Amino acid sequence: MTLTAFNAPFKSGSCPVSGGARGTVRLTAARRLQGRILAGAGLVLLPWLGYLAGTLPPAEAAAWVVLDALEAAALLTAGTRLLHGDSRHRAPAAAAAVLLLADACLDLATATPGTELATALVMAVGAEIPLAGLCSWLASRRT
């Protein structure tokens, strides 16, 4: 339901739309793949939210669940907008990039030495930083 609100069709108003008629971008195979990657990453975060809520102490769980929920929302919004050829994918992609980088930094800063730190490093290098890079690149492109 929330994605419908975020991805409502553009109507007339004061918000300028770039990238062709009615704010669309050319939907190439690369754009479809990028949209699937972002939407898939957002979907993967949803069960992770439940895991965090169930395994962390309540005070920590609240902070991590909110951060990851915001990441999931931004990734899903950017991904679905890309899949629909909507040029308004840039703002949620930029938000996702910032949130992913913040998550990687916080994970590394709060991890205890040993397995927890190794896991945080693998997640940062293998998932969060590459996704943040893709989101930054998508947010900065004009078409």
Side-chain angles (χ1 to χ4, degrees), residues 40-133:
L43 288 173
V44 166
L45 281 173
L46 297 179
W48 178 247
L49 297 174
Y51 173 78
L52 289 176
T55 58
L56 293 175
E60 288 180 39
W64 288 112
V65 167
V66 167
L67 176 62
D68 286 353
L70 290 171
E71 285 175 26
L75 287 167
L76 284 167
T77 303
T80 55
R81 286 182 180 179
L82 272 172
L83 288 171
H84 287 105
D86 189 339
S87 66
R88 296 175 300 153
H89 66 276
R90 289 183 200 91
V98 170
L99 290 166
L100 285 162
L101 287 175
D103 192 1
C105 291
L106 288 170
D107 283 342
L108 291 170
T110 60
T112 58
T115 306
E116 193 175 311
L117 181 59
T119 302
L121 188 59
V122 167
M123 288 298 296
V125 172
E128 292 163 336
I129 294 172
L131 267 175

